[in-house]
């Protein structure tokens, strides 16, 4: 884990407050596991001392680039959204423990469930599953139509459902409603999103093995500051940025 200078290839808005940035640099050579994240240095000013953690959405070894999809709703991420093509970005990573693609075998089915800004890391996971001959079904949950993104990209990889809480697009309701409505069959599930969504998913079918990625506020990103801890089922404390963010669903006390 090191810091790298990367170059902005593109940075564009794709939904309400949602941006897609593509960076090029040698850090891509270290990226292999879906579900990891990087810590972005916002600027050299004292205004932004802490880096911003953003999950890795796509890895492109051929172009030596990677993509992040992020929500620009704070001062730091709004500053990142203003980066232009050709500008340099200081990146620390890749960080954290991601998803294990090899937990399933060829011919099996993975259910990928994302909520809001928890959707992006599941895209690289879906691509890698496809390369291993594993079928993927995707359920993407958003608050409303203006928040929806990446539906077309997921649809190219497998059956994709979109749910919105207010019913303005796709299925009305939550991701768990879609699973029940269509009686979706799968071998294991892989999820990232809000705490309430993860809790509902893990309690819906406790017999199924699942893997969840936690969204926590992080500071150092390397497990030193204990700002992003969560409680495990055995009562111990886990550092999400270092021990996670991906856990088996039975590990965490949701």
């Amino acid at each position: 884990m090191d810091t790298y200078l990367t170059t902005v290839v593109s940075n564009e808005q794709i939904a309400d407050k949602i941006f897609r940035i593509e960076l090029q640099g040698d850090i891509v050579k270290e990226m292999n596991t879906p579900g990891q994240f990087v810590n972005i240095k916002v600027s050299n000013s004292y205004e932004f001392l802490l880096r911003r953690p953003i999950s890795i959405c796509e890895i492109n070894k051929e172009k030596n680039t990677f993509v992040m999809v992020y929500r620009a709703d704070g001062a730091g991420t709004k500053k990142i959204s203003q980066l232009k093509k050709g500008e340099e970005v200081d990146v620390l990573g890749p960080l954290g423990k991601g998803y294990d693609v090899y937990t399933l075998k060829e011919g099996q089915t993975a259910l990928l469930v994302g909520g809001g800004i928890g959707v992006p890391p599941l895209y690289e996971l879906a691509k890698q599953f496809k390369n291993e001959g594993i079928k993927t079904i995707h359920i993407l949950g958003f608050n409303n139509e203006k928040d929806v993104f990446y539906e077309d990209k997921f649809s190219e990889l497998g059956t994709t459902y979109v749910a919105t809480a207010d019913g303005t697009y796709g299925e009305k309701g939550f991701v768990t409603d879609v699973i029940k409505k269509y009686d979706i069959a799968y071998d294991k599930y892989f999820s990232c999103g809000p705490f309430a969504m993860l809790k509902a998913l893990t309690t819906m079918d406790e017999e199924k093995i699942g893997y969840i990625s936690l969204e926590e506020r992080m500071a150092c990103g390397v497990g030193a500051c204990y700002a992003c801890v969560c409680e495990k089922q055995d009562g111990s404390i886990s550092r999400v940025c270092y021990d996670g963010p991906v856990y088996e669903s039975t590990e965490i006390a949701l």
Side-chain angles (χ1 to χ4, degrees), residues 23-240:
L23 300 178
Q24 185 174 53
D26 288 340
I27 189 175
V28 179
K29 297 174 183 177
E30 307 301 320
M31 292 179 175
N32 299 294
T33 307
Q36 289 188 300
F37 67 96
V38 295
N39 249 6
I40 305 293
K41 187 175 183 179
V42 178
S43 73
N44 292 319
S45 72
Y46 289 110
E47 183 183 1
F48 302 105
L49 291 178
L50 293 179
R51 292 173 179 264
R52 285 349 188 234
I54 304 178
S55 61
I56 299 166
C57 177
E58 303 176 46
I59 303 169
N60 191 322
K61 296 282 189 178
E62 294 74 21
K63 294 167 54 181
N64 205 33
T65 66
F66 72 101
V67 170
M68 296 173 292
V69 174
Y70 61 99
R71 180 185 289 119
D73 60 358
T77 47
K78 286 179 180 177
K79 186 77 172 178
I80 293 172
S81 73
Q82 296 166 5
L83 289 168
K84 306 299 183 184
K85 181 178 180 179
E87 291 192 72
E88 289 189 330
V89 183
D90 185 303
V91 179
L92 173 67
L95 302 170
K97 184 186 75 174
Y99 296 100
D100 182 4
V101 177
Y102 303 103
T103 189
L104 288 176
K105 299 178 181 178
E106 183 177 355
Q108 290 188 300
T109 299
L111 176 62
L112 276 53
V113 184
I117 207 62
V119 167
L122 299 177
Y123 183 65
E124 179 63 27
L125 178 61
K127 290 201 305 178
Q128 293 197 22
F129 271 144
K130 183 177 180 179
N131 291 339
E132 297 299 323
I134 295 164
K135 178 183 178 183
T136 56
I137 300 173
H138 322 108
I139 305 176
L140 316 179
F142 302 96
N143 285 326
N144 49 57
E145 183 177 12
K146 63 184 175 63
D147 297 330
V148 178
F149 62 89
Y150 263 48
E151 178 189 9
D152 56 340
K153 286 183 172 288
F154 277 96
S155 295
E156 292 173 356
L157 301 175
T159 302
T160 300
Y161 302 91
V162 173
T164 53
D166 66 358
T168 51
Y169 188 86
E171 303 286 337
K172 183 177 181 178
F174 303 108
V175 294
T176 47
D177 296 324
V178 175
I179 297 172
K180 295 173 184 176
K181 178 178 178 178
Y182 294 99
D183 193 22
I184 297 174
Y186 58 94
D187 292 290
K188 293 182 180 181
Y189 67 85
F190 302 78
S191 184
C192 182
F195 182 87
M197 186 198 81
L198 297 177
K199 185 172 183 179
L201 187 62
T202 57
T203 56
M204 188 180 69
D205 190 350
E206 295 180 351
E207 293 184 1
K208 286 285 188 181
I209 296 176
Y211 298 87
I212 59 175
S213 181
L214 300 183
E215 295 179 328
E216 294 288 344
R217 289 190 176 274
M218 300 178 185
C220 72
V222 295
C225 70
Y226 282 76
C228 61
V229 296
C230 66
E231 185 178 354
K232 301 183 76 172
Q233 288 283 8
D234 61 8
S236 63
I237 296 299
S238 180
R239 298 163 294 178
V240 174

